[in-house]
Amino acid sequence: YLEESINTVSEEVEGRLAPFAQHLTQLDTIPGVDKRTAEVLIAELGVDMSYFPSDRHLASWAALCPGNNESAGKHRSGKTRRGNRWLRTALVEAAWAAIRVEDSALGARYRRVMRHRGHKKAVVAVAHAMLRAVYHLLAEETMYREPGADYYDRRHAERVRRRAIQLLERQGYRVVLEPAA
């Protein structure tokens, strides 16, 4: 009896989400997002992103953005606010799955943040990045393109190069760069 009820509910949900089949397919291309997570995202966010001026506004509305508590030059806890618990839960679970995908930008983001902030904050940072990707997919009606694990390094190559030079110079070396081949 239980299996029949579950099948009936599944068919009913699929029937209600039929008009959003294209959006479900778009969201399913994000690493870590499966069919059920995409359904939750559409149910909680909708597909019309014109309500939010930018992806950052959406992240703030969902309370998946870092807090900023500073007064008199002192930085206090930057924990996130309470937001939509179903949306947050779905995105955090999807982030857990996304950080295990090899050679993905989301996995690289997790490893980069985890070094300095810890596991839980890194997972929330990945969920934040996923929510911003969801905004762009739904607003621009495109598919997710995986930028690759070295996306950050390619995007900030000059910054990485400058930091490496400064690190060596602080240790007493003189650095002269020559392009290889």
Side-chain angles (χ1 to χ4, degrees), residues 69-134:
N69 187 0
E70 178 185 349
S71 178
K74 294 184 180 183
H75 296 278
R76 298 193 188 99
S77 172
K79 72 182 211 178
T80 59
R81 298 178 291 120
R82 289 190 207 179
N84 186 323
R85 64 180 174 209
W86 294 280
L87 179 62
R88 182 185 184 96
T89 301
L91 283 168
V92 168
E93 285 180 6
W96 274 81
I99 62 178
R100 288 174 174 77
V101 175
E102 289 187 28
D103 296 330
S104 74
L106 296 172
R109 175 151 183 78
Y110 167 79
R111 288 186 295 278
R112 194 171 53 251
V113 174
M114 207 273 291
R115 282 189 298 231
H116 303 285
R117 305 265 182 219
H119 169 71
K120 289 184 178 182
K121 289 186 180 183
V123 170
V124 172
V126 171
H128 172 80
M130 292 175 78
L131 182 62
R132 291 178 65 180
V134 166

Side-chain angles (χ1 to χ4, degrees), residues 139-153:
E140 300 164 11
E141 297 183 4
T142 60
M143 297 297 230
Y144 181 80
R145 292 182 312 269
E146 176 60 47
D150 62 340
Y151 170 72
Y152 180 80
D153 293 335

Side-chain angles (χ1 to χ4, degrees), residues 10 28 30 35 40 43 60 64 92 112 164 176-177:
S10 302
D28 198 24
I30 301 173
K35 180 182 173 190
V40 170
S60 179
L64 262 176
V92 168
R112 194 171 53 251
V176 178
L177 295 179

Side-chain angles (χ1 to χ4, degrees), residues 162-173:
R162 192 170 8 97
R163 280 186 189 153
I165 291 170
Q166 288 174 349
L167 177 68
L168 288 171
E169 287 176 347
R170 273 185 270 151
Q171 293 178 358
Y173 294 98

